[in-house]
Amino acid sequence: MALHIGDTAPNFKIDTTKGEIDFHEWAGNSWVFFFSHPADFTPVCTTEMGRTSQLADKFAALNTKSLGLSTDTVEEHLKWVADVNDTQNTDLQFPIVADPDLKIAMLYDMIHPGESSTAAVRSVFIIDPNKKLRLTMTYPMSIGRNFDEILRVIEALQLSDKNRIATPADWKRGDKVIIPPSISNEEAEKIFPQGWDEIRPYLRLTEVK
Ligand code: BEZ
């Protein structure tokens, strides 16, 4: 099933390394970084799981829970987590979904037959506390993800929700943001009393915290 930004993230009940979860219940009022990887005991995946674990404090600061998935079993995941901890110098605590029957991988369109018919590609779903899909990204099996980008985009989404702004290319915390064209100058004066730079009538930059 193709999933689109704005869709409700499909719910599921599944075994994980932290026991069975009901996805929506487990997510609660948090944002979720839900990501798949092809297989346990593989090199790129090992670095990605390690990086997610190393960034646990940064995800927590963004009220974001991490949830991994591969089409391996809980038993395999648990053995592999010991290796991830050992080789990546971390203490991985987030749950990893066991999906040997591809139930969730199919539900979330993580199986791309051009890559593999049995293992997931590197999908990313950022899900907000209303359970809406806010961002999707898909990487091939051979390319590890950029975790700075994952944190950056969660921060940008949260800032956008809070301030009704958009963010320019390569935005990072502290940079100026964009007043969307859907907000008239008259309304903008109320929302952004700090003012803005008008580069073009459709390109207005302001600062928010
Ligand atoms: C890896 O994690 O290194 C990997 C897994 C499957 C295919 C290619 C690379």
Side-chain angles (χ1 to χ4, degrees):
M1 184 174 90
L3 292 174
H4 298 137
I5 288 175
D7 288 353
T8 298
N11 197 21
F12 52 82
K13 280 197 177 125
I14 198 80
D15 263 349
T16 78
T17 47
K18 299 286 181 186
E20 191 183 86
I21 62 163
D22 173 296
F23 178 52
H24 283 188
E25 260 178 36
W26 171 83
N29 290 323
S30 298
W31 288 67
V32 175
F33 162 47
F34 182 31
F35 67 113
S36 57
H37 58 273
D40 297 355
F41 300 103
T42 52
V44 177
C45 301
T46 298
T47 62
E48 289 194 325
M49 297 314 256
R51 192 77 189 114
T52 306
S53 173
Q54 290 160 3
L55 292 169
D57 288 351
K58 295 212 168 169
F59 282 111
L62 294 170
N63 183 32
T64 301
K65 292 180 176 175
S66 298
L67 181 65
L69 175 148
S70 78
T71 58
D72 299 297
T73 63
V74 167
E75 202 180 17
E76 286 164 317
H77 284 342
L78 289 173
K79 280 192 212 143
W80 179 47
V81 165
D83 258 13
V84 172
N85 286 339
D86 202 24
T87 61
Q88 308 303 304
N89 193 25
T90 192
D91 178 20
L92 193 156
Q93 289 299 332
F94 61 86
I96 306 173
V97 168
D99 193 26
D101 305 332
L102 316 188
K103 205 173 112 198
I104 313 307
M106 297 303 262
L107 183 65
Y108 273 76
D109 197 24
M110 294 163 168
I111 302 293
H112 293 207
E115 288 276 272
S116 166
S117 53
T118 54
V121 291
R122 299 184 195 281
S123 301
V124 172
F125 297 94
I126 304 296
I127 298 160
D128 73 16
N130 295 319
K131 314 294 177 285
K132 296 289 180 204
L133 282 177
R134 300 295 300 275
L135 174 132
T136 65
M137 285 196 281
T138 311
Y139 276 60
M141 291 185 170
S142 53
I143 306 298
R145 283 160 280 212
N146 181 326
F147 286 79
D148 290 338
E149 169 60 5
I150 289 162
L151 291 167
R152 187 196 76 92
V153 85
I154 296 170
E155 196 168 358
L157 284 165
Q158 294 180 352
L159 194 74
S160 160
D161 286 0
K162 186 173 160 209
N163 294 287
R164 291 181 65 192
I165 52 87
T167 57
D170 294 335
W171 173 89
K172 53 190 181 333
R173 183 204 292 258
D175 287 354
K176 287 189 174 176
V177 297
I178 290 172
I179 302 175
S182 57
I183 299 178
S184 67
N185 277 349
E186 194 184 15
E187 197 184 356
E189 272 166 25
K190 293 184 199 122
I191 305 173
F192 306 104
Q194 67 274 36
W196 60 86
D197 298 332
E198 187 168 306
I199 318 296
R200 289 286 185 278
Y202 61 83
L203 178 54
R204 295 166 296 173
L205 297 178
T206 191
E207 290 180 61
V208 293
K209 289 202 178 97

